[in-house]
Amino acid sequence: MTLTLADARSVIAAAEAKAAEIGQPMNIAVVDAGGNLVSHVRMDGAWIGSIDISINKAFTSRAFDIATKDLGENSQPNQQFYGIHASNHGRIMIFAGGIPLTRDGQVIGAIGVSGGSGEQDHAVAEAGANSV
Amino acid sequence: MTLTLADARSVIAAAEAKAAEIGQPMNIAVVDAGGNLVSHVRMDGAWIGSIDISINKAFTSRAFDIATKDLGENSQPNQQFYGIHASNHGRIMIFAGGIPLTRDGQVIGAIGVSGGSGEQDHAVAEAGANSV
Amino acid sequence: MTLTLADARSVIAAAEAKAAEIGQPMNIAVVDAGGNLVSHVRMDGAWIGSIDISINKAFTSRAFDIATKDLGENSQPNQQFYGIHASNHGRIMIFAGGIPLTRDGQVIGAIGVSGGSGEQDHAVAEAGANSV
Amino acid sequence: MTLTLADARSVIAAAEAKAAEIGQPMNIAVVDAGGNLVSHVRMDGAWIGSIDISINKAFTSRAFDIATKDLGENSQPNQQFYGIHASNHGRIMIFAGGIPLTRDGQVIGAIGVSGGSGEQDHAVAEAGANSV
């Protein structure tokens, strides 16, 4: 089971609405069950450095079936996964904004958001994830 | 002068319609005047190896303000740009599917398409480029 | 809105004068609104390891519209952006020396400086940024 | 023996004058005897894909003490250096535009130019090289 482009677009629309609501332009990316990009949008005025980060947050969330915020807690110095950000050719993001997408209890992909504070990124990703 | 997300979506919609018409699912990417990704979609069933290629074709077209098909002709063995595909950290694509996007005679970004034959990729990119 | 080569040269001249004043040879780079390099100089005697760093500091400052010094504070262990230095293919610098360049309240590019202490790099970048 | 920033600037000025004369905006880079970048300029309107290429042409010319045009002839399929463009992490450019800089018969650095046809790039690089 994976998601379609139509699914990805509807997830992005929900995230985009949340970003507009909080007034922070974002990069939003969705990957499928294989961790491969399905769609990405950069809202007008969103940081160009966040293009790569949004895509990588989505990849990371699906790669480990975990929110990047939670992975981050385990990846600080002296924690069990410290150093994981050096793996996977720089694609592992260990800060908030990536969340797995699930349907009927199964992970079918992930969303990654980047463009604001960690709290904002997570909130926008959550809006997308809840829309599935 | 650059393009907006709304512009990019309308370019992608035109390209997507063409891809549907010829029955070949595609990856379609649009970059802005700075060569930075604005939006990407992978149609259902399109190759995952073409995600990167579509984004890089769009980058290449803006990087040199040229269709990748034309750059490709100049980049064959014994031609003046042979070897250019080794530059820019592997981001230069020298086969058909990337076309600059222009408005009032000025390049404002580029579209990159990957998922079918070179001829198909170029035709889909052209449909997108003509819609600006 | 972006900057011209003449703008970049004038920013570099101001930064170079500051570097000469404090007696520390520097690498100085300026990128445009798209994050792409416009000009770079390495003053005689400046570190060769700082070529890449100066260019990347300029990129980072434009990529997130922030001084790299401030991004650095948010990117320490247990802070909200910890791990961001692994993104963007190693181009994100999280220590002092990068500052956005603004005109009429809009970011038009960025300067990146590397060759001394963090404090020196920031002071030289500031001299450049203030000259716009 | 190597070159100074003042040398590099004077080489760039000569190349820039030639580029202006032929009406083609260029990226121009100068490296020192160690192959490390001393200075780079992107003239207004020059291709962003040529930033990396100009720097790499200069590196390549110093790396092998040869004009990239001549290296290119030896690097075509079935020639003795075919495949060399895959070495040095993608920094080897095998088409016209890079020329060693010599003083008193000794190589002290190199110039790399990118932004036009191979012939134009070489002519602009030559103007720079002849000014030493």
Side-chain angles (χ1 to χ4, degrees):
Chain A
M1 252 180 76
T2 187
L3 47 70
T4 63
L5 175 55
D7 290 329
R9 277 181 161 141
S10 128
V11 166
I12 287 174
E16 216 175 330
K18 182 69 179 177
E21 183 194 315
I22 65 175
Q24 187 65 26
M26 295 285 184
N27 280 269
I28 307 165
V30 171
V31 299
D32 64 15
N36 300 302
L37 188 63
V38 178
S39 190
H40 161 271
V41 302
R42 173 158 53 102
M43 294 169 70
D44 296 334
W47 298 323
I48 57 177
S50 285
I51 299 167
D52 182 72
I53 296 176
S54 65
I55 296 171
N56 287 345
K57 280 181 181 172
F59 170 76
T60 300
S61 263
R62 172 50 184 152
F64 301 108
D65 291 347
I66 193 174
T68 53
K69 190 173 82 154
D70 297 331
L71 180 65
E73 285 173 20
N74 283 285
S75 305
Q76 300 300 314
N78 300 306
Q79 300 303 316
Q80 63 175 339
F81 296 143
Y82 174 62
I84 199 171
H85 60 285
S87 76
N88 286 272
H89 306 279
R91 300 184 66 197
I92 303 303
M93 295 293 105
I94 54 172
F95 49 105
I99 300 181
L101 300 172
T102 57
R103 183 174 282 153
D104 304 329
Q106 210 181 327
V107 178
I108 56 169
I111 180 173
V113 174
S114 181
S117 67
E119 210 173 316
Q120 288 175 319
D121 291 356
H122 186 80
V124 170
E126 205 162 41
N130 289 343
S131 76
V132 181
Chain B
M1 254 180 75
T2 188
L3 47 69
T4 64
L5 175 55
D7 290 329
R9 276 181 161 141
S10 129
V11 166
I12 288 175
E16 216 175 330
K18 182 70 179 180
E21 183 194 315
I22 65 175
Q24 188 66 25
M26 295 285 185
N27 280 269
I28 308 164
V30 171
V31 300
D32 64 16
N36 299 302
L37 188 63
V38 178
S39 190
H40 162 271
V41 302
R42 173 159 53 100
M43 295 171 71
D44 296 333
W47 298 324
I48 56 177
S50 285
I51 299 168
D52 182 70
I53 294 175
S54 65
I55 295 172
N56 286 344
K57 280 181 182 171
F59 170 75
T60 300
S61 264
R62 172 50 183 153
F64 302 106
D65 292 347
I66 194 173
T68 54
K69 190 174 80 154
D70 297 331
L71 181 64
E73 284 172 21
N74 282 286
S75 306
Q76 300 303 311
N78 299 306
Q79 300 303 315
Q80 64 174 341
F81 298 144
Y82 175 60
I84 199 171
H85 59 285
S87 77
N88 285 274
H89 308 279
R91 301 184 67 197
I92 302 304
M93 295 293 106
I94 53 173
F95 48 102
I99 300 181
L101 300 173
T102 56
R103 182 174 284 153
D104 304 330
Q106 209 182 330
V107 178
I108 56 169
I111 180 173
V113 173
S114 180
S117 67
E119 207 172 321
Q120 288 174 321
D121 291 356
H122 187 79
V124 171
E126 206 163 40
N130 288 342
S131 76
V132 181
Chain C
M1 255 180 75
T2 188
L3 47 70
T4 63
L5 175 55
D7 290 329
R9 277 182 161 140
S10 129
V11 166
I12 287 174
E16 215 175 329
K18 182 69 181 177
E21 182 195 315
I22 64 175
Q24 187 66 26
M26 295 285 185
N27 280 270
I28 307 165
V30 171
V31 300
D32 65 14
N36 299 303
L37 188 63
V38 178
S39 190
H40 162 272
V41 302
R42 174 159 52 100
M43 295 170 70
D44 296 334
W47 298 324
I48 56 176
S50 285
I51 300 168
D52 181 71
I53 295 176
S54 65
I55 296 172
N56 286 344
K57 280 182 181 172
F59 170 76
T60 301
S61 264
R62 172 49 182 153
F64 302 107
D65 292 346
I66 194 174
T68 54
K69 190 174 82 153
D70 297 331
L71 181 64
E73 285 173 19
N74 283 286
S75 305
Q76 300 302 311
N78 299 305
Q79 300 304 316
Q80 64 174 340
F81 297 142
Y82 175 61
I84 199 172
H85 58 285
S87 77
N88 286 272
H89 308 279
R91 301 185 66 197
I92 302 303
M93 295 291 106
I94 54 173
F95 48 104
I99 300 182
L101 300 173
T102 56
R103 182 173 283 154
D104 303 331
Q106 209 181 328
V107 179
I108 56 169
I111 180 173
V113 174
S114 181
S117 67
E119 209 173 317
Q120 288 175 320
D121 291 356
H122 187 79
V124 170
E126 205 162 40
N130 289 342
S131 76
V132 182
Chain D
M1 253 181 74
T2 187
L3 48 69
T4 63
L5 174 55
D7 290 330
R9 276 181 162 141
S10 128
V11 166
I12 288 174
E16 216 175 330
K18 182 69 178 178
E21 183 194 315
I22 65 175
Q24 187 66 26
M26 295 284 184
N27 279 269
I28 307 165
V30 171
V31 300
D32 64 15
N36 300 303
L37 188 63
V38 179
S39 190
H40 162 272
V41 302
R42 172 159 52 102
M43 295 171 70
D44 296 334
W47 297 325
I48 57 177
S50 284
I51 299 168
D52 182 71
I53 295 175
S54 65
I55 296 171
N56 287 345
K57 281 181 181 171
F59 170 76
T60 300
S61 263
R62 171 51 183 153
F64 301 108
D65 291 346
I66 194 174
T68 54
K69 191 174 79 153
D70 298 331
L71 180 64
E73 285 172 21
N74 284 285
S75 305
Q76 299 300 313
N78 300 307
Q79 300 303 315
Q80 63 175 340
F81 297 143
Y82 174 61
I84 199 171
H85 60 284
S87 75
N88 286 273
H89 306 279
R91 301 184 66 197
I92 303 302
M93 295 292 106
I94 54 172
F95 49 106
I99 300 181
L101 300 173
T102 56
R103 182 175 283 155
D104 304 329
Q106 209 181 329
V107 178
I108 56 169
I111 180 173
V113 174
S114 180
S117 67
E119 208 174 318
Q120 289 175 318
D121 291 356
H122 186 78
V124 170
E126 206 164 37
N130 289 342
S131 76
V132 181

